[in-house]
Amino acid sequence: MLNLERLRTLDALARHGSVSGAAEGLHVTTSAVSQQMAKLEREVGQQLLARNGRGVRLTDAGRLLAEHAARILSQVELAQADLEAQRGQVAGELRLSAFPTAARGLFPTALAALRADHRALRLRSSELEPEDGVAGVVRGDLDLAVVLDWYNKPMPLPDGLVKAAILDDPADVAMPAGHRLADRAEVGLEEFAEDEWITWGDGEFCHEWLMFTLRSKGIEPCVGHRAGETHTQLGLVAAGLGVCIAPRLGRDPVPAGVVTVPVRQQVRRHVYVVWRADADRRPSIRAAVEALRAAGEAVTARVSG
């Protein structure tokens, strides 16, 4: 009989591509990964790993067994989901992630409601950028991830994931209080062609969206500063160092000396939650989606009021 935990270790190695990555994904030590693989090799009587420089790679037998392991683990996930659905109990461990402003704007309300309503549910949350959250769900390191895309630039999702909308999040332009457009009721992005922009890190989905959007309006943006966290960007705006896009979710309080003005073209982020299709029937997944939607409705009412 093949040991399920050892197959899980092999699957993690195949997905992460390294012993250290598998150990991090499984929340164990690298030594534990090596021990599990050594035991699995003895069980099957074949070499599954080979040295590759300073790392390791899967042998042909290792890749073959890893493909079977992925299918077996998916079937186990389905069986667990069906059993949970039959019991109808919201219990066990639920691992969630959200990008920073969603973690600040949605998680406190949603996770507190889940803990109050379902005492047998253990919640584990983390703050991750959308791409990392999606990857964590695909790998099985996470059960759900709150992610986003923009009104004019969807984020592609891998096959095998299910998603549910949480809210549409309006975004404004944040500028220093003394900016020439600070007293306007609304602005167009093209009016900032000569301004210095404060944006996200190079390669991040939101940074790529901003570059795409400004260039589609004939603007070659001047990027002066980069910061992944909204309040860091707003702090730089308060210091008079540029302007930035400021979505409303998780934004308050806005620092003194910063003015936010709505964008005439209604710039919006679509915020949604994703999970694996083979876990779709788990009551804990359904309960979490409902709690996130309720938190999203409360945010929508607040930012629209």
Side-chain angles (χ1 to χ4, degrees), residues 191-231:
E191 296 179 271
F192 296 89
E194 303 303 319
D195 284 273
E196 198 166 10
W197 282 92
I198 299 161
T199 181
W200 296 267
D202 192 24
E204 287 190 20
F205 181 71
C206 288
H207 171 77
E208 297 302 323
W209 163 79
L210 181 60
M211 299 299 100
F212 166 80
T213 301
L214 292 175
R215 285 167 180 157
S216 70
K217 297 180 179 298
I219 301 169
E220 183 54 41
C222 174
V223 175
H225 307 278
R226 300 175 185 273
E229 220 284 333
T230 296
H231 280 89

Side-chain angles (χ1 to χ4, degrees), residues 133-144:
V134 169
V137 172
V138 170
R139 290 195 306 265
D141 300 338
L142 296 168
D143 297 303
L144 303 102

Side-chain angles (χ1 to χ4, degrees), residues 8 70 87 89 98 101 104 154-155 170 179 207 253 280 288 290:
R8 199 179 302 279
R87 288 198 308 267
Q89 295 178 343
T101 50
R104 184 186 309 114
M155 184 172 75
H179 193 278
H207 171 77
D280 193 46
E290 290 175 10

Side-chain angles (χ1 to χ4, degrees), residues 96-101 103-104 107 125-129 229:
L96 311 89
S97 77
F99 58 93
T101 50
R104 184 186 309 114
F107 270 7
S125 69
S126 56
E127 190 176 280
L128 292 174
E129 291 299 328
E229 220 284 333

Side-chain angles (χ1 to χ4, degrees), residues 1-7 39-40 42-44 65 72:
M1 290 287 290
L2 291 170
N3 181 280
L4 189 62
E5 286 308 308
R6 289 165 199 158
L7 289 179
K39 291 176 181 178
L40 185 58
R42 288 196 294 272
E43 282 181 353
V44 301
L65 186 55
I72 290 167

